[in-house]
Amino acid sequence: MRRRRFLLAVTVLLTTATTVGGTIAYGLYYRSDRYRRHVERGLTEFFGLPTDVRTVRPHTLRSRVLTNIQMWLPERRARIFVCPRAVWDASPRHGGGTVLHLYNSVMSIGSEAWESEDYMRVLRASLLHNFSELDIRQVRFHDGSLTWPRRDFEMRADGVDGTITFDPQGRGEAVLTAHSLNGTRVTEPVRIHALIDPANPDDFLPEVGLDVPPLPLAALGLNEALQSRVTQGSFTGRITLRQSLTADTIELAGSAQDIRLDELTTWLEGGPLSGLVDLTIHRALIRERELAFLRFNGEIRDLTVDPVLRRFGLPEIGGTVRLAVDNGRFEEGSIVGLTVAGHWRGGSLDVLSRMLLKSQSIDGQVDVRINSLIVQHDQLASGNIDVDATPPPGKPGTIDRALLLNLLEEYLGFQVPTMLARMLPESVEFVRARAKLLVDGTNLQVLTIPDATTGAILTVRIAGQDIPIVRAIDHTFDLSPLVDQAAQRAKEWKHSLQSRPAPR
């Protein structure tokens, strides 16, 4: 009996000693500098980029902790990745395969030290591997950061959490969230989704999609691309990025609100435009920094008219416009189609009459309601506009009798009856002039708008009495000269936009 107990005690002691000794040997080996260098060489060969690891130590029997991992561009021109702590966990509790945990990692994609081929090199180093060979089933990010300091825009995503999950064939799906974008904390996280196919070297990263919650436009880091400093406005929607050796594309869909035109158009020749813009972007495609396609609805508020008129060689009439744009479609540098409705207030009848009559002016103001303007293939196809001219506020408006009679006969094809013409004083006070303008291609048709009180296109006041002069009219003008002039101006403006300096 004593002998059996002695043998059992010796067996337990030897087993314990062996286990402890094996554990100590395991810990010493995985803590050794030799093993650390082995890991560095393996990572450098696997990613094809210089990689440093400060320490490696055992975490459990099936996991190891790596500290201060750093990855560099070739020739160590710039550091692209740093991770203070990573855990390589091959524990059976994961159901097979290894899980790699990255804590507080920072990934940088781009800087002044980068060369053109570095972007694809880094993406390939990060993603173009069959991770199934290493039996990695998941990479989990914990409070990471991603920076993309490109010349045309800058993006920094912080508070990045989530996973990249790989199937047995090595294909991956990334589902990540970011809680801060370019230093702006978001109330709802930015959601990032990407598919990864290491087996396809030509299209290993088909696309990356970002679902963006309501976010200040300034937080998108587009100042360089827009060539102006954006301080106002917001965006919510989806941004899809596709990057390849041939062409980079960005696709947008969402809503942009309260964008200041003066901030977006500071670089325009002739000065910026003013107003506020709301856009519903059904689809926008930007290829190689150029807008290739846009389908949208939108609204422009408080647009100052004169800067627009100057660009078309027209005199400054004044006033502001509110416009609603529906079914807008822009493709390869041309307006395929859009429909506009709106209201122009506060225009000068004085300036407008000088422009049209080439002679004396008529003091007053103009109110224009745009019921519909349809543009197709950069041409005005049709229009329906109501024009209402009234005296200036607080004082009467007058028209010289000879000018009035000439205007009615030459421009509207209406001859005032002789008896009525003799009744008119030398200076006629006008009360109101209303007309409907119908545009069909290069033809402008002027029609009467029945007035609720007088039913006239023109009403004057004689001896204190309002007298309707023109009750019905239907006259057509040829707009070809004006259309040709506007088309030439638009062509010159488009050329100036296309030839503007690229963002630096």
Side-chain angles (χ1 to χ4, degrees):
M1 179 65 70
R2 290 182 178 178
R3 188 165 178 251
R4 289 175 62 188
R5 290 178 179 174
F6 174 74
L7 290 175
L8 180 60
V10 170
T11 300
V12 171
L13 179 61
L14 289 175
T15 302
T16 304
T18 301
T19 302
V20 172
T23 303
I24 292 173
Y26 163 84
L28 290 176
Y29 172 69
Y30 284 113
R31 291 177 185 271
S32 68
D33 191 60
R34 177 184 175 186
Y35 181 70
R36 181 191 62 79
R37 292 196 301 270
H38 170 73
V39 171
E40 280 187 342
R41 286 195 300 271
L43 292 175
T44 298
E45 291 174 2
F46 184 75
F47 289 110
L49 295 171
T51 304
D52 300 330
V53 179
R54 177 178 291 175
T55 65
V56 180
R57 59 182 177 82
H59 187 56
T60 67
L61 289 176
R62 301 296 299 271
S63 64
R64 298 187 291 279
V65 176
L66 287 70
T67 65
N68 197 23
I69 305 169
Q70 300 184 67
M71 190 177 293
W72 307 77
L73 289 179
E75 294 84 44
R76 295 181 178 267
R77 285 181 282 111
R79 188 174 66 179
I80 64 171
F81 178 77
V82 60
C83 182
R85 180 172 176 267
V87 176
W88 180 285
D89 188 355
S91 303
R93 67 177 182 273
H94 299 305
T98 297
V99 175
L100 179 61
H101 296 265
L102 302 177
Y103 295 90
N104 307 112
S105 61
V106 177
M107 179 78 174
S108 298
I109 305 176
S111 73
E112 293 297 327
W114 286 48
E115 298 174 359
S116 58
E117 66 272 13
D118 286 334
Y119 292 97
M120 294 305 298
R121 186 197 301 266
V122 168
L123 285 175
R124 290 176 182 276
S126 303
L127 303 173
L128 191 54
H129 297 285
N130 190 346
F131 284 88
S132 64
E133 294 178 0
L134 297 180
D135 201 26
I136 296 178
R137 296 299 175 86
Q138 275 194 355
V139 178
R140 296 182 182 175
F141 295 87
H142 304 272
D143 198 19
S145 295
L146 173 67
T147 62
W148 199 342
R150 297 187 62 168
R151 292 185 178 183
D152 50 352
F153 73 96
E154 180 174 353
M155 184 184 79
R156 178 184 175 92
D158 295 310
V160 176
D161 298 308
T163 63
I164 303 178
T165 303
F166 296 92
D167 65 18
Q169 288 72 42
R171 294 186 296 266
E173 180 178 9
V175 179
L176 307 172
T177 59
H179 297 274
S180 176
L181 191 64
N182 291 331
T184 300
R185 188 77 178 176
V186 293
T187 55
E188 301 176 39
V190 177
R191 302 189 181 278
I192 305 169
H193 182 267
L195 299 176
I196 303 164
D197 188 1
N200 188 347
D202 296 324
D203 194 14
F204 59 89
L205 187 65
E207 65 180 42
V208 177
L210 288 81
D211 291 316
V212 180
L215 193 67
L217 198 61
L220 296 181
L222 297 173
N223 288 348
E224 287 296 325
L226 299 175
Q227 296 183 285
S228 60
R229 182 172 178 267
V230 179
T231 65
Q232 185 172 316
S234 64
F235 175 81
T236 180
R238 184 169 180 83
I239 303 174
T240 303
L241 305 110
R242 300 182 181 93
Q243 195 160 239
S244 68
L245 291 171
T246 55
D248 295 347
T249 61
I250 300 175
E251 188 169 339
L252 300 173
S255 174
Q257 303 291 323
D258 297 322
I259 304 170
R260 284 180 51 177
L261 268 180
D262 61 324
E263 292 186 341
L264 295 183
T265 58
T266 54
W267 48 269
L268 279 181
E269 184 179 351
L273 306 178
S274 64
L276 294 174
V277 178
D278 296 335
L279 282 178
T280 299
I281 303 169
H282 301 293
R283 181 173 181 257
L285 183 65
I286 302 171
R287 183 182 297 115
E288 290 294 295
R289 301 180 185 175
E290 295 290 338
L291 182 62
F293 179 87
L294 174 63
R295 186 166 62 86
F296 70 101
N297 292 344
E299 183 179 49
I300 303 176
R301 308 187 306 276
D302 302 325
L303 172 67
T304 303
V305 174
D306 288 344
V308 179
L309 295 177
R310 283 198 299 267
R311 285 166 172 78
F312 289 91
L314 299 173
E316 299 181 6
I317 300 176
T320 59
V321 171
R322 185 185 187 105
L323 296 175
V325 181
D326 290 321
N327 302 316
R329 183 170 175 177
F330 177 91
E331 191 168 354
E332 301 298 342
S334 296
I335 299 174
V336 177
L338 58 81
T339 301
V340 178
H343 193 181
W344 175 9
R345 304 170 184 266
S348 170
L349 180 60
D350 181 4
V351 177
L352 182 62
S353 59
R354 285 181 185 274
M355 178 183 70
L356 296 177
L357 304 178
K358 309 297 182 183
S359 61
Q360 296 171 286
S361 64
I362 305 170
D363 194 15
Q365 59 185 11
V366 179
D367 187 275
V368 179
R369 289 192 177 274
I370 304 170
N371 303 310
S372 173
L373 284 178
I374 298 177
V375 178
Q376 294 177 340
H377 303 290
D378 290 334
Q379 300 290 329
L380 178 59
S382 65
N384 184 326
I385 303 170
D386 294 340
V387 180
D388 193 349
T390 55
K395 62 178 183 178
T398 59
I399 311 174
D400 182 81
R401 181 179 65 183
L403 174 62
L404 174 61
L405 296 177
N406 180 67
L407 168 65
L408 293 175
E409 183 174 355
E410 182 175 350
Y411 290 91
L412 300 182
F414 180 83
Q415 188 170 7
V416 178
T418 304
M419 183 176 297
L420 179 58
R422 290 175 178 174
M423 293 174 56
L424 296 177
E426 292 292 329
S427 180
V428 180
E429 180 182 352
F430 87 95
V431 177
R432 190 174 193 179
R434 303 186 70 202
K436 178 178 285 292
L437 310 181
L438 297 181
V439 178
D440 183 8
T442 58
N443 293 322
L444 171 63
Q445 187 178 13
V446 182
L447 300 172
T448 304
I449 300 178
D451 187 275
T453 55
T454 64
I457 190 174
L458 177 63
T459 302
V460 299
R461 182 171 292 143
I462 301 176
Q465 296 293 319
D466 292 351
I467 301 175
I469 294 184
V470 184
R471 291 185 179 275
I473 193 171
D474 185 348
H475 193 67
T476 301
F477 296 89
D478 181 14
L479 292 179
S480 297
L482 183 60
V483 169
D484 292 342
Q485 179 184 359
Q488 180 60 32
R489 293 284 185 174
K491 184 178 179 180
E492 294 171 357
W493 191 16
K494 182 190 295 185
H495 177 72
S496 69
L497 296 180
Q498 294 173 341
S499 61
R500 70 185 189 275
R504 294 181 297 173

Short mmCIF file of all heavy atoms in Angstrom, two decimals, residues 340-379:
data_model
loop_
_atom_site.label_atom_id
_atom_site.label_comp_id
_atom_site.label_asym_id
_atom_site.label_seq_id
_atom_site.Cartn_x
_atom_site.Cartn_y
_atom_site.Cartn_z
N VAL A 340 -38.14 73.33 -64.09
CA VAL A 340 -37.96 74.38 -63.09
C VAL A 340 -39.28 75.12 -62.88
O VAL A 340 -39.99 75.42 -63.84
CB VAL A 340 -36.87 75.38 -63.52
CG1 VAL A 340 -36.72 76.50 -62.50
CG2 VAL A 340 -35.54 74.67 -63.73
N ALA A 341 -39.59 75.40 -61.63
CA ALA A 341 -40.71 76.28 -61.29
C ALA A 341 -40.21 77.22 -60.19
O ALA A 341 -39.30 76.87 -59.43
CB ALA A 341 -41.91 75.48 -60.80
N GLY A 342 -40.80 78.42 -60.12
CA GLY A 342 -40.33 79.33 -59.09
C GLY A 342 -40.97 80.70 -59.15
O GLY A 342 -41.95 80.93 -59.87
N HIS A 343 -40.37 81.62 -58.40
CA HIS A 343 -40.92 82.96 -58.24
C HIS A 343 -39.75 83.95 -58.15
O HIS A 343 -38.87 83.82 -57.31
CB HIS A 343 -41.77 83.03 -56.97
CG HIS A 343 -42.61 84.24 -56.87
ND1 HIS A 343 -43.43 84.52 -55.81
CD2 HIS A 343 -42.78 85.30 -57.74
CE1 HIS A 343 -44.06 85.67 -55.99
NE2 HIS A 343 -43.67 86.15 -57.17
N TRP A 344 -39.80 84.95 -59.04
CA TRP A 344 -38.78 86.02 -59.05
C TRP A 344 -39.46 87.29 -58.56
O TRP A 344 -40.39 87.79 -59.17
CB TRP A 344 -38.25 86.16 -60.47
CG TRP A 344 -37.27 87.28 -60.69
CD1 TRP A 344 -36.69 88.07 -59.75
CD2 TRP A 344 -36.77 87.73 -61.96
NE1 TRP A 344 -35.84 88.98 -60.33
CE2 TRP A 344 -35.87 88.79 -61.69
CE3 TRP A 344 -36.99 87.34 -63.27
CZ2 TRP A 344 -35.21 89.46 -62.71
CZ3 TRP A 344 -36.32 88.01 -64.28
CH2 TRP A 344 -35.44 89.06 -64.00
N ARG A 345 -38.96 87.82 -57.46
CA ARG A 345 -39.53 89.03 -56.85
C ARG A 345 -38.53 90.19 -56.93
O ARG A 345 -37.32 89.98 -56.87
CB ARG A 345 -39.86 88.80 -55.37
CG ARG A 345 -40.79 87.64 -55.08
CD ARG A 345 -40.83 87.38 -53.58
NE ARG A 345 -41.63 86.21 -53.23
CZ ARG A 345 -42.90 86.25 -52.91
NH1 ARG A 345 -43.53 87.41 -52.88
NH2 ARG A 345 -43.57 85.15 -52.60
N GLY A 346 -39.09 91.39 -57.01
CA GLY A 346 -38.26 92.59 -56.87
C GLY A 346 -37.43 92.97 -58.07
O GLY A 346 -36.44 93.71 -57.94
N GLY A 347 -37.80 92.52 -59.28
CA GLY A 347 -37.08 92.93 -60.47
C GLY A 347 -37.41 94.36 -60.86
O GLY A 347 -38.50 94.88 -60.58
N SER A 348 -36.48 95.02 -61.54
CA SER A 348 -36.66 96.41 -61.93
C SER A 348 -37.32 96.52 -63.29
O SER A 348 -36.76 96.08 -64.30
CB SER A 348 -35.30 97.13 -61.95
OG SER A 348 -35.43 98.41 -62.53
N LEU A 349 -38.52 97.11 -63.34
CA LEU A 349 -39.19 97.37 -64.61
C LEU A 349 -38.41 98.41 -65.40
O LEU A 349 -38.40 98.37 -66.65
CB LEU A 349 -40.62 97.84 -64.36
CG LEU A 349 -41.48 98.15 -65.59
CD1 LEU A 349 -41.61 96.92 -66.47
CD2 LEU A 349 -42.84 98.67 -65.17
N ASP A 350 -37.78 99.34 -64.72
CA ASP A 350 -36.97 100.37 -65.36
C ASP A 350 -35.89 99.72 -66.23
O ASP A 350 -35.77 99.99 -67.43
CB ASP A 350 -36.34 101.25 -64.27
CG ASP A 350 -35.50 102.38 -64.86
OD1 ASP A 350 -35.47 102.51 -66.09
OD2 ASP A 350 -34.87 103.10 -64.08
N VAL A 351 -35.08 98.84 -65.64
CA VAL A 351 -33.99 98.20 -66.38
C VAL A 351 -34.52 97.28 -67.47
O VAL A 351 -34.02 97.23 -68.59
CB VAL A 351 -33.07 97.43 -65.41
CG1 VAL A 351 -31.97 96.70 -66.18
CG2 VAL A 351 -32.48 98.38 -64.37
N LEU A 352 -35.57 96.51 -67.14
CA LEU A 352 -36.14 95.57 -68.10
C LEU A 352 -36.68 96.29 -69.33
O LEU A 352 -36.47 95.86 -70.47
CB LEU A 352 -37.24 94.75 -67.43
CG LEU A 352 -37.92 93.68 -68.29
CD1 LEU A 352 -36.90 92.63 -68.73
CD2 LEU A 352 -39.06 93.03 -67.53
N SER A 353 -37.36 97.41 -69.12
CA SER A 353 -37.91 98.16 -70.24
C SER A 353 -36.81 98.78 -71.09
O SER A 353 -36.92 98.84 -72.33
CB SER A 353 -38.88 99.23 -69.74
OG SER A 353 -38.23 100.13 -68.86
N ARG A 354 -35.75 99.26 -70.46
CA ARG A 354 -34.62 99.79 -71.24
C ARG A 354 -34.00 98.70 -72.12
O ARG A 354 -33.64 98.95 -73.27
CB ARG A 354 -33.55 100.34 -70.29
CG ARG A 354 -33.90 101.68 -69.66
CD ARG A 354 -32.77 102.14 -68.76
NE ARG A 354 -33.12 103.36 -68.06
CZ ARG A 354 -32.95 104.59 -68.54
NH1 ARG A 354 -32.48 104.74 -69.77
NH2 ARG A 354 -33.30 105.65 -67.85
N MET A 355 -33.88 97.49 -71.54
CA MET A 355 -33.28 96.39 -72.29
C MET A 355 -34.15 96.00 -73.49
O MET A 355 -33.64 95.77 -74.60
CB MET A 355 -33.07 95.19 -71.37
CG MET A 355 -32.47 93.96 -72.07
SD MET A 355 -32.32 92.52 -70.99
CE MET A 355 -34.06 92.09 -70.78
N LEU A 356 -35.47 95.94 -73.28
CA LEU A 356 -36.36 95.49 -74.35
C LEU A 356 -36.66 96.57 -75.37
O LEU A 356 -36.73 96.31 -76.57
CB LEU A 356 -37.67 94.96 -73.74
CG LEU A 356 -37.55 93.72 -72.85
CD1 LEU A 356 -38.90 93.37 -72.26
CD2 LEU A 356 -36.99 92.54 -73.64
N LEU A 357 -36.85 97.80 -74.89
CA LEU A 357 -37.30 98.88 -75.78
C LEU A 357 -36.16 99.66 -76.40
O LEU A 357 -36.37 100.38 -77.38
CB LEU A 357 -38.22 99.84 -75.01
CG LEU A 357 -39.44 99.20 -74.34
CD1 LEU A 357 -40.23 100.25 -73.57
CD2 LEU A 357 -40.31 98.52 -75.38
N LYS A 358 -34.96 99.53 -75.82
CA LYS A 358 -33.80 100.25 -76.32
C LYS A 358 -34.05 101.76 -76.35
O LYS A 358 -33.52 102.48 -77.20
CB LYS A 358 -33.42 99.79 -77.74
CG LYS A 358 -33.30 98.29 -77.91
CD LYS A 358 -32.19 97.70 -77.07
CE LYS A 358 -32.05 96.21 -77.31
NZ LYS A 358 -31.03 95.58 -76.46
N SER A 359 -34.88 102.24 -75.44
CA SER A 359 -35.17 103.68 -75.43
C SER A 359 -35.56 104.07 -74.01
O SER A 359 -34.93 103.64 -73.05
CB SER A 359 -36.29 104.00 -76.43
OG SER A 359 -37.47 103.30 -76.10
N GLN A 360 -36.62 104.87 -73.89
CA GLN A 360 -37.04 105.33 -72.58
C GLN A 360 -37.46 104.16 -71.69
O GLN A 360 -37.87 103.11 -72.17
CB GLN A 360 -38.21 106.31 -72.72
CG GLN A 360 -37.85 107.59 -73.44
CD GLN A 360 -39.08 108.41 -73.72
OE1 GLN A 360 -39.87 108.08 -74.60
NE2 GLN A 360 -39.26 109.48 -72.95
N SER A 361 -37.34 104.37 -70.40
CA SER A 361 -37.68 103.31 -69.46
C SER A 361 -39.03 103.61 -68.79
O SER A 361 -39.57 104.70 -68.89
CB SER A 361 -36.60 103.20 -68.39
OG SER A 361 -36.53 104.40 -67.62
N ILE A 362 -39.53 102.58 -68.11
CA ILE A 362 -40.77 102.69 -67.36
C ILE A 362 -40.46 102.36 -65.91
O ILE A 362 -39.97 101.27 -65.60
CB ILE A 362 -41.83 101.70 -67.90
CG1 ILE A 362 -42.04 101.91 -69.40
CG2 ILE A 362 -43.14 101.85 -67.15
CD1 ILE A 362 -42.88 100.84 -70.05
N ASP A 363 -40.71 103.29 -65.02
CA ASP A 363 -40.40 103.09 -63.62
C ASP A 363 -41.41 102.12 -63.00
O ASP A 363 -42.62 102.24 -63.22
CB ASP A 363 -40.44 104.43 -62.88
CG ASP A 363 -39.80 104.32 -61.50
OD1 ASP A 363 -39.10 103.31 -61.27
OD2 ASP A 363 -40.01 105.22 -60.68
N GLY A 364 -40.89 101.13 -62.25
CA GLY A 364 -41.78 100.19 -61.59
C GLY A 364 -41.04 98.93 -61.21
O GLY A 364 -39.80 98.86 -61.23
N GLN A 365 -41.79 97.90 -60.83
CA GLN A 365 -41.17 96.63 -60.44
C GLN A 365 -41.88 95.48 -61.14
O GLN A 365 -43.03 95.60 -61.56
CB GLN A 365 -41.21 96.45 -58.92
CG GLN A 365 -42.61 96.46 -58.32
CD GLN A 365 -42.57 96.40 -56.79
OE1 GLN A 365 -41.52 96.56 -56.18
NE2 GLN A 365 -43.72 96.16 -56.19
N VAL A 366 -41.16 94.36 -61.23
CA VAL A 366 -41.65 93.20 -61.96
C VAL A 366 -41.70 92.00 -61.03
O VAL A 366 -40.76 91.75 -60.25
CB VAL A 366 -40.75 92.87 -63.17
CG1 VAL A 366 -41.27 91.65 -63.91
CG2 VAL A 366 -40.70 94.06 -64.13
N ASP A 367 -42.79 91.27 -61.12
CA ASP A 367 -42.95 90.01 -60.37
C ASP A 367 -43.18 88.91 -61.40
O ASP A 367 -44.09 89.00 -62.23
CB ASP A 367 -44.15 90.12 -59.42
CG ASP A 367 -44.26 88.93 -58.50
OD1 ASP A 367 -44.86 87.92 -58.91
OD2 ASP A 367 -43.74 89.01 -57.37
N VAL A 368 -42.34 87.88 -61.37
CA VAL A 368 -42.38 86.83 -62.38
C VAL A 368 -42.63 85.49 -61.70
O VAL A 368 -41.89 85.09 -60.80
CB VAL A 368 -41.06 86.77 -63.17
CG1 VAL A 368 -41.12 85.64 -64.21
CG2 VAL A 368 -40.77 88.10 -63.85
N ARG A 369 -43.69 84.83 -62.14
CA ARG A 369 -43.97 83.48 -61.65
C ARG A 369 -43.65 82.48 -62.76
O ARG A 369 -44.26 82.52 -63.83
CB ARG A 369 -45.43 83.34 -61.21
CG ARG A 369 -45.75 84.10 -59.95
CD ARG A 369 -47.10 83.72 -59.39
NE ARG A 369 -47.35 84.41 -58.13
CZ ARG A 369 -46.96 83.98 -56.94
NH1 ARG A 369 -46.29 82.83 -56.87
NH2 ARG A 369 -47.22 84.65 -55.84
N ILE A 370 -42.70 81.61 -62.46
CA ILE A 370 -42.30 80.59 -63.43
C ILE A 370 -43.12 79.35 -63.14
O ILE A 370 -42.86 78.59 -62.20
CB ILE A 370 -40.79 80.29 -63.31
CG1 ILE A 370 -39.97 81.58 -63.48
CG2 ILE A 370 -40.37 79.25 -64.34
CD1 ILE A 370 -38.50 81.42 -63.14
N ASN A 371 -44.15 79.14 -63.94
CA ASN A 371 -44.99 77.95 -63.75
C ASN A 371 -44.26 76.69 -64.20
O ASN A 371 -44.38 75.64 -63.57
CB ASN A 371 -46.29 78.11 -64.53
CG ASN A 371 -47.06 79.36 -64.10
OD1 ASN A 371 -47.27 79.59 -62.92
ND2 ASN A 371 -47.45 80.17 -65.07
N SER A 372 -43.48 76.83 -65.26
CA SER A 372 -42.73 75.68 -65.75
C SER A 372 -41.69 76.13 -66.77
O SER A 372 -42.01 76.91 -67.68
CB SER A 372 -43.67 74.65 -66.40
OG SER A 372 -42.94 73.62 -67.02
N LEU A 373 -40.48 75.65 -66.60
CA LEU A 373 -39.43 75.77 -67.62
C LEU A 373 -38.83 74.38 -67.79
O LEU A 373 -38.41 73.75 -66.81
CB LEU A 373 -38.33 76.75 -67.19
CG LEU A 373 -38.61 78.24 -67.27
CD1 LEU A 373 -37.41 79.02 -66.77
CD2 LEU A 373 -38.94 78.65 -68.70
N ILE A 374 -38.79 73.90 -69.02
CA ILE A 374 -38.25 72.58 -69.29
C ILE A 374 -37.01 72.72 -70.17
O ILE A 374 -37.05 73.32 -71.24
CB ILE A 374 -39.29 71.68 -69.99
CG1 ILE A 374 -40.50 71.49 -69.07
CG2 ILE A 374 -38.68 70.33 -70.35
CD1 ILE A 374 -41.62 70.67 -69.70
N VAL A 375 -35.89 72.20 -69.66
CA VAL A 375 -34.62 72.22 -70.39
C VAL A 375 -34.31 70.80 -70.82
O VAL A 375 -34.36 69.86 -70.00
CB VAL A 375 -33.50 72.78 -69.51
CG1 VAL A 375 -32.16 72.74 -70.26
CG2 VAL A 375 -33.82 74.21 -69.07
N GLN A 376 -33.96 70.62 -72.09
CA GLN A 376 -33.59 69.31 -72.61
C GLN A 376 -32.34 69.47 -73.48
O GLN A 376 -32.30 70.30 -74.38
CB GLN A 376 -34.73 68.71 -73.44
CG GLN A 376 -35.97 68.38 -72.62
CD GLN A 376 -37.10 67.84 -73.48
OE1 GLN A 376 -37.13 68.04 -74.69
NE2 GLN A 376 -38.04 67.14 -72.86
N HIS A 377 -31.33 68.68 -73.14
CA HIS A 377 -30.08 68.66 -73.91
C HIS A 377 -29.51 70.09 -74.07
O HIS A 377 -29.20 70.54 -75.17
CB HIS A 377 -30.28 68.00 -75.27
CG HIS A 377 -30.81 66.59 -75.17
ND1 HIS A 377 -30.06 65.54 -74.69
CD2 HIS A 377 -32.05 66.09 -75.45
CE1 HIS A 377 -30.81 64.44 -74.70
NE2 HIS A 377 -32.00 64.74 -75.15
N ASP A 378 -29.41 70.76 -72.92
CA ASP A 378 -28.82 72.10 -72.84
C ASP A 378 -29.63 73.17 -73.58
O ASP A 378 -29.14 74.28 -73.80
CB ASP A 378 -27.38 72.11 -73.40
CG ASP A 378 -26.42 71.37 -72.50
OD1 ASP A 378 -26.68 71.26 -71.28
OD2 ASP A 378 -25.39 70.88 -73.00
N GLN A 379 -30.86 72.86 -73.98
CA GLN A 379 -31.70 73.82 -74.68
C GLN A 379 -33.02 74.02 -73.94
O GLN A 379 -33.57 73.07 -73.38
CB GLN A 379 -32.00 73.34 -76.11
CG GLN A 379 -30.78 73.14 -76.98
CD GLN A 379 -30.11 74.45 -77.36
OE1 GLN A 379 -30.75 75.49 -77.49
NE2 GLN A 379 -28.80 74.40 -77.55
#
